[in-house]
Coordinates of all heavy atoms in Angstrom, one line a residue:
M1 N -37.0 24.4 -2.1 CA -36.7 22.9 -2.5 C -35.6 22.9 -3.4 O -34.7 22.0 -3.3 CB -38.1 22.4 -3.1 CG -38.0 20.8 -3.4 SD -37.7 20.0 -1.8 CE -37.4 18.3 -2.4
A2 N -35.7 23.7 -4.5 CA -34.5 23.7 -5.5 C -33.2 24.0 -4.8 O -32.2 23.4 -5.2 CB -34.8 24.8 -6.5
D3 N -33.2 25.0 -3.8 CA -32.0 25.3 -3.0 C -31.5 24.0 -2.3 O -30.3 23.7 -2.3 CB -32.3 26.3 -2.0 CG -32.4 27.7 -2.7 OD1 -32.1 27.8 -3.9 OD2 -32.7 28.7 -2.1
E4 N -32.4 23.2 -1.8 CA -32.1 22.0 -1.1 C -31.3 20.9 -1.9 O -30.3 20.4 -1.7 CB -33.1 21.4 -0.4 CG -33.4 22.1 0.9 CD -34.8 21.5 1.6 OE1 -35.0 20.3 1.3 OE2 -35.5 22.3 2.3
I5 N -31.8 20.9 -3.2 CA -31.3 20.0 -4.2 C -29.9 20.5 -4.6 O -29.0 19.7 -4.7 CB -32.3 19.9 -5.4 CG1 -33.6 19.1 -5.0 CG2 -31.6 19.0 -6.6 CD1 -34.5 19.1 -6.0
D6 N -29.8 21.8 -4.8 CA -28.5 22.3 -5.2 C -27.5 22.1 -4.1 O -26.4 21.7 -4.3 CB -28.6 23.9 -5.4 CG -29.0 24.2 -6.8 OD1 -29.2 23.3 -7.6 OD2 -29.3 25.5 -6.9
L7 N -27.9 22.4 -2.9 CA -27.0 22.2 -1.7 C -26.7 20.7 -1.7 O -25.4 20.3 -1.5 CB -27.7 22.5 -0.5 CG -26.8 23.0 0.6 CD1 -26.1 24.3 0.2 CD2 -27.7 23.3 1.8
A8 N -27.5 19.8 -1.8 CA -27.3 18.3 -1.7 C -26.3 17.9 -2.9 O -25.4 17.2 -2.6 CB -28.6 17.6 -1.8
Q9 N -26.5 18.5 -4.0 CA -25.5 18.3 -5.2 C -24.2 18.7 -4.8 O -23.2 18.1 -5.2 CB -26.1 18.8 -6.6 CG -26.6 17.8 -7.3 CD -27.5 18.4 -8.5 OE1 -27.6 19.7 -8.6 NE2 -28.2 17.6 -9.3
Q10 N -24.1 19.9 -4.3 CA -22.7 20.4 -3.9 C -22.1 19.6 -2.9 O -20.9 19.3 -3.1 CB -22.8 21.9 -3.4 CG -23.1 22.9 -4.5 CD -23.3 24.2 -3.8 OE1 -23.2 24.5 -2.6 NE2 -23.7 25.3 -4.7
H11 N -22.9 19.1 -1.9 CA -22.3 18.3 -0.9 C -21.8 16.9 -1.6 O -20.7 16.4 -1.3 CB -23.3 18.0 0.2 CG -23.4 19.0 1.2 ND1 -23.6 18.8 2.6 CD2 -23.3 20.4 1.1 CE1 -23.7 20.0 3.1 NE2 -23.4 20.9 2.2
E12 N -22.6 16.5 -2.5 CA -22.2 15.2 -3.1 C -21.0 15.3 -3.9 O -20.1 14.5 -3.8 CB -23.4 14.8 -4.1 CG -23.4 13.2 -4.3 CD -24.3 13.0 -5.6 OE1 -25.4 13.6 -5.6 OE2 -24.0 12.2 -6.4
E13 N -20.8 16.5 -4.6 CA -19.6 16.7 -5.4 C -18.3 16.8 -4.5 O -17.3 16.3 -4.7 CB -19.6 17.9 -6.2 CG -20.5 17.6 -7.6 CD -21.0 18.9 -8.3 OE1 -20.4 19.9 -8.1 OE2 -21.9 18.8 -9.0
L14 N -18.5 17.5 -3.4 CA -17.5 17.7 -2.4 C -17.2 16.4 -1.8 O -15.9 16.0 -1.8 CB -18.0 18.7 -1.3 CG -16.9 19.4 -0.6 CD1 -16.3 20.5 -1.5 CD2 -17.6 20.1 0.6
F15 N -18.0 15.5 -1.5 CA -17.8 14.3 -0.9 C -17.0 13.3 -1.9 O -16.1 12.6 -1.6 CB -19.1 13.6 -0.5 CG -18.9 12.3 0.2 CD1 -18.5 12.2 1.5 CD2 -19.2 11.1 -0.5 CE1 -18.2 11.0 2.1 CE2 -18.9 9.9 0.1 CZ -18.4 9.7 1.4
R16 N -17.5 13.4 -3.2 CA -16.8 12.5 -4.2 C -15.4 13.0 -4.3 O -14.5 12.1 -4.5 CB -17.7 12.7 -5.6 CG -17.4 11.5 -6.4 CD -18.1 11.6 -7.7 NE -19.6 11.8 -7.5 CZ -20.4 12.7 -8.2 NH1 -20.0 13.3 -9.4 NH2 -21.6 12.8 -8.0
E17 N -15.2 14.2 -4.4 CA -13.8 14.9 -4.6 C -12.9 14.3 -3.5 O -11.8 13.9 -3.7 CB -13.9 16.3 -4.6 CG -12.6 17.0 -4.7 CD -11.9 16.7 -6.0 OE1 -12.5 16.5 -7.0 OE2 -10.6 16.8 -6.1
L18 N -13.5 14.4 -2.3 CA -12.8 13.9 -1.1 C -12.3 12.4 -1.1 O -11.3 12.0 -0.9 CB -13.4 14.3 0.1 CG -13.3 15.7 0.8 CD1 -14.2 15.8 2.0 CD2 -11.8 15.8 1.3
A19 N -13.4 11.7 -1.5 CA -13.3 10.3 -1.7 C -12.2 10.0 -2.6 O -11.4 8.9 -2.4 CB -14.6 9.6 -1.9
L20 N -12.2 10.6 -3.7 CA -11.3 10.4 -4.7 C -9.9 10.7 -4.3 O -8.9 10.0 -4.6 CB -11.6 11.3 -6.0 CG -12.3 10.7 -7.1 CD1 -12.6 11.8 -8.2 CD2 -11.6 9.6 -7.9
R21 N -9.7 11.8 -3.6 CA -8.4 12.2 -3.1 C -7.8 11.1 -2.1 O -6.7 10.7 -2.2 CB -8.4 13.5 -2.4 CG -8.0 14.6 -3.2 CD -7.8 15.9 -2.4 NE -8.8 16.9 -3.1 CZ -9.1 18.0 -2.5 NH1 -8.5 18.4 -1.4 NH2 -9.9 18.8 -3.2
V22 N -8.7 10.6 -1.3 CA -8.4 9.6 -0.2 C -7.9 8.3 -1.0 O -6.9 7.7 -0.7 CB -9.4 9.2 0.7 CG1 -9.1 8.1 1.5 CG2 -9.5 10.4 1.6
A23 N -8.7 7.9 -2.1 CA -8.6 6.7 -2.8 C -7.1 6.7 -3.5 O -6.3 5.9 -3.6 CB -9.6 6.4 -3.8
R24 N -6.8 8.0 -4.2 CA -5.5 8.2 -5.0 C -4.4 8.1 -3.9 O -3.4 7.5 -4.2 CB -5.6 9.5 -5.6 CG -6.4 9.5 -6.9 CD -6.0 10.8 -7.7 NE -7.2 11.1 -8.5 CZ -7.9 12.3 -8.4 NH1 -7.5 13.3 -7.4 NH2 -8.9 12.5 -9.2
R25 N -4.4 8.8 -2.8 CA -3.4 8.8 -1.9 C -3.1 7.3 -1.4 O -2.1 6.9 -1.2 CB -3.8 9.6 -0.7 CG -2.6 10.0 0.1 CD -3.0 11.0 1.3 NE -3.8 12.0 0.9 CZ -4.7 12.5 1.8 NH1 -4.8 12.1 2.9 NH2 -5.6 13.5 1.3
H26 N -4.3 6.6 -1.2 CA -4.2 5.2 -0.7 C -3.5 4.2 -1.7 O -2.6 3.6 -1.4 CB -5.5 4.7 -0.4 CG -5.6 3.2 0.3 ND1 -5.2 3.1 1.5 CD2 -5.7 2.1 -0.3 CE1 -5.2 1.8 1.7 NE2 -5.4 1.1 0.6
S27 N -3.8 4.5 -3.0 CA -3.2 3.6 -3.9 C -1.8 3.9 -4.2 O -1.0 3.1 -4.4 CB -4.0 3.7 -5.3 OG -3.8 5.0 -6.0
R28 N -1.5 5.3 -4.1 CA 0.0 5.7 -4.2 C 0.8 5.0 -3.1 O 1.9 4.4 -3.4 CB 0.1 7.1 -4.3 CG 1.3 7.7 -5.1 CD 1.5 9.3 -5.0 NE 0.2 9.9 -5.3 CZ -0.2 10.8 -4.7 NH1 0.4 11.4 -3.7 NH2 -1.5 11.5 -4.9
S29 N 0.4 5.2 -1.9 CA 1.1 4.8 -0.8 C 1.2 3.2 -0.7 O 2.2 2.6 -0.4 CB 0.5 5.1 0.6 OG -0.7 4.5 0.9
S30 N 0.2 2.5 -1.2 CA 0.3 1.0 -1.1 C 1.2 0.5 -2.2 O 1.8 -0.6 -2.1 CB -1.2 0.4 -1.2 OG -1.6 0.6 -2.5
S31 N 1.3 1.2 -3.4 CA 2.2 0.7 -4.3 C 3.6 1.0 -4.1 O 4.4 0.2 -4.4 CB 1.8 1.3 -5.8 OG 2.0 2.7 -5.8
S32 N 3.8 2.0 -3.3 CA 5.3 2.5 -3.2 C 5.9 1.8 -1.9 O 7.1 1.6 -1.7 CB 5.5 4.0 -3.2 OG 4.8 4.5 -2.0
E33 N 5.1 1.7 -0.8 CA 5.7 1.3 0.4 C 5.4 -0.1 0.9 O 6.2 -0.7 1.6 CB 5.4 2.3 1.6 CG 4.0 2.1 2.3 CD 3.5 3.0 3.3 OE1 4.0 4.2 3.0 OE2 3.0 2.8 4.3
A34 N 4.2 -0.6 0.6 CA 3.8 -1.8 1.3 C 4.0 -3.0 0.5 O 3.1 -3.8 0.0 CB 2.4 -1.6 1.7
R35 N 5.3 -3.4 0.4 CA 5.7 -4.8 -0.1 C 5.9 -5.6 1.2 O 6.8 -5.2 2.0 CB 6.9 -4.8 -1.0 CG 6.6 -4.4 -2.5 CD 6.1 -5.7 -3.3 NE 7.2 -6.6 -3.4 CZ 8.1 -6.5 -4.3 NH1 8.2 -5.5 -5.1 NH2 9.0 -7.5 -4.4
R36 N 5.2 -6.6 1.4 CA 5.4 -7.3 2.7 C 6.0 -8.6 2.6 O 6.0 -9.3 1.6 CB 3.9 -7.5 3.3 CG 3.5 -6.2 4.1 CD 2.1 -6.3 4.6 NE 1.8 -5.0 5.1 CZ 2.1 -4.4 6.1 NH1 2.8 -5.2 7.1 NH2 1.7 -3.3 6.5
C37 N 6.7 -9.0 3.6 CA 7.5 -10.3 3.7 C 6.6 -11.4 3.7 O 5.5 -11.5 4.3 CB 8.3 -10.2 5.0 SG 9.1 -11.8 5.3
L38 N 7.0 -12.4 2.8 CA 6.0 -13.7 2.7 C 5.9 -14.4 3.9 O 4.9 -15.0 4.4 CB 6.7 -14.6 1.8 CG 6.4 -14.5 0.3 CD1 7.0 -15.7 -0.5 CD2 4.9 -14.6 0.1
D39 N 7.0 -14.3 4.8 CA 7.0 -15.2 6.1 C 6.6 -14.5 7.2 O 5.6 -15.1 8.0 CB 8.5 -15.5 6.3 CG 9.0 -16.6 5.3 OD1 8.1 -17.0 4.6 OD2 10.0 -17.2 5.4
C40 N 7.0 -13.3 7.5 CA 6.6 -12.6 8.8 C 5.5 -11.5 8.6 O 5.0 -10.9 9.6 CB 7.8 -12.1 9.5 SG 8.6 -10.7 8.7
D41 N 5.2 -11.2 7.3 CA 4.2 -10.0 7.1 C 4.8 -8.7 7.4 O 3.8 -7.8 7.5 CB 2.9 -10.4 7.6 CG 1.8 -9.8 6.7 OD1 1.9 -9.8 5.6 OD2 0.8 -9.4 7.3
E42 N 5.9 -8.5 7.7 CA 6.4 -7.1 7.9 C 6.8 -6.5 6.7 O 7.0 -7.1 5.7 CB 7.7 -7.2 8.8 CG 7.5 -7.7 10.3 CD 6.7 -6.6 11.1 OE1 6.9 -5.5 10.9 OE2 5.8 -7.1 11.8
P43 N 6.6 -5.1 6.6 CA 7.1 -4.5 5.4 C 8.4 -4.7 5.1 O 9.3 -4.6 5.9 CB 6.8 -2.9 5.7 CG 6.0 -2.9 6.9 CD 6.2 -4.2 7.6
I44 N 8.7 -5.0 3.7 CA 10.1 -5.1 3.4 C 10.9 -3.8 3.3 O 10.4 -2.8 2.9 CB 10.2 -5.9 2.0 CG1 9.5 -7.3 2.1 CG2 11.7 -6.1 1.6 CD1 9.4 -8.0 0.9
D45 N 12.0 -3.8 3.8 CA 12.9 -2.5 3.9 C 13.0 -2.0 2.4 O 13.4 -2.6 1.6 CB 14.2 -3.0 4.5 CG 15.2 -1.7 4.6 OD1 14.8 -0.8 5.4 OD2 16.1 -1.7 3.9
A46 N 12.8 -0.7 2.4 CA 12.9 0.1 1.0 C 14.3 -0.1 0.5 O 14.4 -0.1 -0.7 CB 12.4 1.4 1.2
G47 N 15.4 0.1 1.3 CA 16.7 -0.1 0.9 C 16.9 -1.4 0.2 O 17.6 -1.5 -0.8
R48 N 16.4 -2.4 0.9 CA 16.6 -3.9 0.4 C 15.9 -4.1 -1.0 O 16.3 -4.6 -1.8 CB 16.0 -4.8 1.4 CG 15.8 -6.1 0.9 CD 15.7 -7.2 2.1 NE 15.3 -8.4 1.5 CZ 16.0 -9.3 0.9 NH1 17.2 -9.0 0.6 NH2 15.5 -10.5 0.5
L49 N 14.6 -3.4 -1.0 CA 13.8 -3.5 -2.2 C 14.5 -2.8 -3.4 O 14.3 -3.1 -4.6 CB 12.5 -2.9 -2.1 CG 11.4 -3.9 -1.6 CD1 10.1 -3.3 -1.3 CD2 11.3 -5.1 -2.4
A50 N 15.2 -1.7 -3.1 CA 16.0 -1.0 -4.1 C 17.1 -1.8 -4.7 O 17.4 -1.7 -5.9 CB 16.5 0.3 -3.6
L51 N 17.7 -2.5 -3.8 CA 18.8 -3.5 -4.2 C 18.3 -4.8 -4.9 O 18.9 -5.2 -5.8 CB 19.7 -3.8 -3.1 CG 20.6 -2.6 -2.5 CD1 21.2 -3.1 -1.2 CD2 21.7 -2.3 -3.5
V52 N 17.2 -5.2 -4.3 CA 16.8 -6.5 -4.7 C 15.3 -6.4 -5.0 O 14.4 -6.8 -4.2 CB 16.9 -7.6 -3.6 CG1 16.7 -9.0 -4.3 CG2 18.4 -7.5 -3.0
P53 N 14.8 -5.8 -6.2 CA 13.5 -5.5 -6.4 C 12.5 -6.7 -6.4 O 11.4 -6.5 -6.2 CB 13.4 -4.8 -7.8 CG 14.9 -4.5 -8.0 CD 15.8 -5.4 -7.3
W54 N 13.1 -7.8 -6.6 CA 12.2 -9.1 -6.7 C 12.1 -9.8 -5.3 O 11.6 -10.8 -5.2 CB 12.8 -10.0 -7.7 CG 14.3 -10.3 -7.4 CD1 14.7 -11.3 -6.6 CD2 15.5 -9.7 -8.0 NE1 16.1 -11.4 -6.5 CE2 16.5 -10.4 -7.4 CE3 15.7 -8.6 -8.7 CZ2 17.9 -9.9 -7.6 CZ3 16.9 -8.2 -8.9 CH2 18.1 -8.9 -8.5
A55 N 12.7 -9.2 -4.3 CA 12.7 -9.7 -3.0 C 11.2 -9.9 -2.5 O 10.4 -9.1 -2.7 CB 13.3 -8.8 -1.9
T56 N 10.9 -11.1 -2.0 CA 9.7 -11.4 -1.5 C 9.7 -11.6 0.1 O 8.6 -11.8 0.7 CB 9.2 -12.8 -2.0 OG1 10.1 -13.8 -1.9 CG2 8.9 -12.6 -3.5
R57 N 10.9 -11.5 0.7 CA 11.0 -11.6 2.1 C 12.0 -10.4 2.6 O 12.7 -9.9 1.9 CB 11.7 -12.9 2.4 CG 10.8 -14.3 2.3 CD 11.7 -15.4 2.7 NE 10.9 -16.7 2.6 CZ 10.9 -17.4 1.5 NH1 11.8 -17.2 0.6 NH2 10.2 -18.5 1.4
C58 N 11.6 -10.2 3.9 CA 12.6 -9.2 4.5 C 13.9 -9.9 4.7 O 14.0 -11.1 4.6 CB 12.0 -8.8 5.8 SG 12.1 -10.1 7.1
L59 N 15.0 -9.2 5.1 CA 16.3 -9.6 5.1 C 16.4 -10.8 6.1 O 17.0 -11.9 5.8 CB 17.3 -8.6 5.5 CG 18.8 -8.8 5.4 CD1 19.1 -9.4 3.9 CD2 19.6 -7.7 5.8
D60 N 15.9 -10.6 7.3 CA 16.0 -11.7 8.3 C 15.3 -13.0 7.7 O 16.0 -14.1 7.9 CB 15.2 -11.3 9.6 CG 16.0 -10.3 10.3 OD1 17.1 -10.0 10.0 OD2 15.4 -9.7 11.3
C61 N 14.2 -12.9 7.2 CA 13.5 -14.1 6.8 C 14.2 -14.8 5.5 O 14.2 -16.0 5.4 CB 12.0 -13.9 6.5 SG 11.2 -13.5 7.8
Q62 N 14.8 -13.9 4.6 CA 15.6 -14.3 3.5 C 16.7 -15.2 4.0 O 17.0 -16.3 3.5 CB 15.9 -13.2 2.7 CG 16.6 -13.6 1.4 CD 15.7 -14.5 0.4 OE1 14.6 -14.1 0.3 NE2 16.2 -15.6 -0.1
L63 N 17.5 -14.6 5.0 CA 18.7 -15.3 5.5 C 18.2 -16.5 6.1 O 18.8 -17.7 6.0 CB 19.4 -14.4 6.6 CG 20.1 -13.2 6.0 CD1 20.7 -12.3 7.0 CD2 21.2 -13.7 5.0
E64 N 17.2 -16.6 6.9 CA 16.6 -17.8 7.5 C 16.1 -18.9 6.5 O 16.6 -20.1 6.5 CB 15.4 -17.4 8.3 CG 14.7 -18.5 9.1 CD 15.4 -19.1 10.1 OE1 16.2 -18.5 10.6 OE2 15.2 -20.3 10.5
A65 N 15.5 -18.3 5.3 CA 15.1 -19.3 4.3 C 16.3 -19.9 3.6 O 16.3 -21.2 3.3 CB 14.3 -18.6 3.2
E66 N 17.5 -19.1 3.3 CA 18.6 -19.7 2.7 C 19.3 -20.6 3.6 O 19.8 -21.6 3.2 CB 19.5 -18.5 2.3 CG 18.9 -17.9 1.0 CD 19.7 -16.5 0.7 OE1 20.8 -16.3 1.2 OE2 19.1 -15.7 -0.1
A67 N 19.3 -20.3 4.9 CA 19.9 -21.3 5.9 C 19.2 -22.6 5.9 O 19.9 -23.6 5.8 CB 20.0 -20.7 7.3
R68 N 17.9 -22.5 5.8 CA 17.0 -23.7 5.8 C 17.5 -24.5 4.6 O 17.6 -25.7 4.5 CB 15.5 -23.4 5.8 CG 14.9 -23.4 7.3 CD 13.4 -23.5 7.1 NE 12.8 -22.6 6.2 CZ 12.2 -21.4 6.6 NH1 12.2 -21.1 7.7 NH2 11.8 -20.6 5.7
K69 N 17.4 -23.8 3.4 CA 17.7 -24.5 2.1 C 19.2 -25.1 2.2 O 19.3 -26.3 1.7 CB 17.8 -23.4 1.1 CG 17.0 -23.8 -0.4 CD 17.2 -22.9 -1.5 CE 16.5 -21.5 -1.2 NZ 16.9 -20.5 -2.2
R70 N 20.1 -24.5 2.7 CA 21.4 -25.0 2.9 C 21.4 -26.3 3.7 O 22.1 -27.2 3.4 CB 22.4 -23.9 3.4 CG 23.5 -23.6 2.3 CD 24.4 -22.5 2.8 NE 23.7 -21.2 2.7 CZ 23.7 -20.2 3.6 NH1 24.4 -20.5 4.7 NH2 23.0 -19.0 3.3
R71 N 20.6 -26.2 4.8 CA 20.7 -27.4 5.6 C 19.9 -28.6 5.1 O 20.3 -29.8 5.3 CB 19.9 -27.0 7.0 CG 20.9 -26.7 8.1 CD 20.1 -26.4 9.4 NE 20.1 -24.8 9.6 CZ 19.0 -24.2 10.0 NH1 17.8 -25.0 10.1 NH2 18.9 -23.0 10.0
A72 N 19.0 -28.3 4.3 CA 18.2 -29.4 3.7 C 19.0 -30.3 2.7 O 19.9 -29.8 2.0 CB 17.0 -28.9 2.9
Ligands
LIG1 ZN1 10.2 -11.5 7.3

């Protein structure tokens, strides 16, 4: 019985460690890669974000939005 409890605890620790790793990887990738465009919900190009860190739209939608603004 004690062995089963030990085994169960080992499994629990292993599982927790794995879950932590997945969660860390997930939070890292979502903070670095996934800024999405307000309009089309596509990921904003990393090169564009490097040049324009405050960008909320992809280049296409930004141009479209500025064209709309100019027309208005
Ligand atoms: Zn877009």
Side-chain angles (χ1 to χ4, degrees):
M1 189 62 190
D3 283 354
E4 278 175 32
I5 292 172
D6 278 354
L7 210 61
Q9 256 168 1
Q10 278 173 16
H11 278 214
E12 200 191 322
E13 276 163 30
L14 206 67
F15 181 78
R16 201 181 304 144
E17 177 66 27
L18 272 174
L20 260 175
R21 256 184 246 174
V22 171
R24 280 197 210 111
R25 200 179 310 149
H26 184 77
S27 71
R28 208 184 309 141
S29 69
S30 66
S31 65
S32 65
E33 89 184 30
R35 279 274 295 280
R36 282 173 186 279
C37 171
L38 271 185
D39 287 358
C40 68
D41 207 37
E42 291 293 317
I44 299 176
D45 181 68
R48 169 163 167 71
L49 275 179
L51 288 171
V52 193
W54 55 88
T56 52
R57 290 182 178 95
C58 70
L59 188 57
D60 285 352
C61 293
Q62 186 61 45
L63 291 175
E64 177 69 23
E66 280 170 18
R68 267 201 310 263
K69 219 186 298 168
R70 245 176 278 137
R71 261 181 261 136

